[in-house]
Amino acid sequence: MSSTLLLPAGNPLVTLTHPKSSLWILELHHGPDNRLTQAFINKAIMPALDAVEREWRGQQRTAQNNKKPEDGKGALIIVGKRDQDKFFSNGLDFADSLKDPNFFQLTFNPMLTRLLTFPIPTIAAINGHCFAGGMMLSLVCDYRVMTDGSSRNAWLCMNEIHFGAPWPLSFTAILTAKIGDHRLHRKIALEGHRFTATEALQEGILDYIVKGKTTDILAKAEDIADKISANAATGVWGLLKLNLYREALEAMKKDIRLVDTRMDDAAARSRL
């Protein structure tokens, strides 16, 4: 089985392939470094996720009706542009996101929630730098496999501290749900540490690292998918995650607006 979907039509920013019945691969190719914009998320990533779920649920229902639960397997791999080995995602297009006062509430957070509760296993195939919002995108996936950086530098980093951008509540909720050590929270959020793949593996941020290029990282991601995709067949994978990440999901629903540095300083001037 093989199919290809390009989204949006006419100016594709993602390519969704279905190379075998139990596997979908979502390739991100928005510009040179996959900056996460409103159009990229709303017109490409989210419709692609809908297409995957629609296809998988159809297969899973048929499998249940035919009493062949093994045919209800499924997994999704998300990978950066395949013909380069430099970027998975370089995070938000910060200037673009500032134009929309509802960017986090109506665009970015819904994408994070969608993936955090996706009904089949999700694997981030991190084939290059993974910064800020891109790192959050990888964290809401169930598994993370990354290039080891031996042939080309590749870092994971939440670098907002360095350019003065406050975190939305969703980022904090995901960090605390996925990573339990408060010392690591400090290192990620307040120090903006650039993790090498080896460091990130040692800290438990990554599940696997792979020597080689994008094709090698994808091969490892497919191996993970083959091993875990059967756990989607009963239909409870997403339901279990709803409870596993309930506190994070509830926090992400809160419509709390960001306080930027200018607002904070103005309040401090009036107080001091």
Side-chain angles (χ1 to χ4, degrees), residues 61-231:
R61 290 187 201 106
T62 299
Q64 294 294 319
N65 290 337
N66 293 340
K67 298 185 176 2
K68 293 183 177 180
E70 66 276 7
D71 292 343
K73 298 189 297 184
L76 168 66
I77 295 170
I78 300 177
V79 65
K81 194 174 181 181
R82 293 194 197 213
D83 64 0
Q84 54 83 50
D85 306 293
K86 188 174 182 181
F87 291 103
F88 174 73
S89 171
N90 212 9
L92 305 185
D93 183 326
F94 193 57
D96 178 80
S97 67
L98 287 177
K99 296 175 185 176
D100 179 5
N102 296 307
F103 177 76
F104 286 104
Q105 287 76 17
L106 300 183
T107 296
F108 204 77
N109 290 354
M111 178 191 69
L112 297 177
T113 298
R114 187 86 168 88
L115 281 165
L116 195 62
T117 59
F118 208 63
I120 61 176
T122 53
I123 303 143
I126 305 170
N127 57 332
H129 296 309
C130 186
F131 273 69
M135 184 170 170
M136 281 293 152
L137 174 61
S138 75
L139 283 177
V140 291
C141 292
D142 298 311
Y143 298 88
R144 281 159 294 285
V145 55
M146 185 175 179
T147 172
D148 69 354
S150 60
S151 59
R152 186 171 197 163
N153 285 335
W155 294 298
L156 290 102
C157 180
M158 297 298 294
N159 62 336
E160 289 85 356
I161 189 70
H162 300 309
F163 62 90
W167 277 21
L169 183 58
S170 56
F171 283 21
T172 304
I174 290 164
L175 184 70
T176 54
K178 290 283 188 161
I179 298 172
D181 190 332
H182 69 92
R183 293 166 299 181
L184 195 51
H185 296 171
R186 180 181 62 208
K187 195 169 186 178
I188 292 170
L190 300 180
E191 297 175 10
H193 182 75
R194 287 188 176 191
F195 291 87
T196 66
T198 300
E199 287 177 321
L201 180 67
Q202 292 170 345
E203 296 283 15
I205 301 170
L206 297 174
D207 297 289
Y208 304 93
I209 59 175
V210 176
K211 182 179 177 62
K213 298 189 175 183
T214 297
T215 52
D216 304 293
I217 300 155
L218 270 175
K220 181 61 180 179
E222 289 192 37
D223 181 57
I224 299 165
D226 287 341
K227 291 177 179 176
I228 200 67
S229 60
N231 285 13

Side-chain angles (χ1 to χ4, degrees), residues 31-42:
D33 58 355
N34 282 323
R35 295 277 181 170
L36 295 159
T37 64
Q38 185 187 63
F40 189 23
I41 293 169
N42 290 337

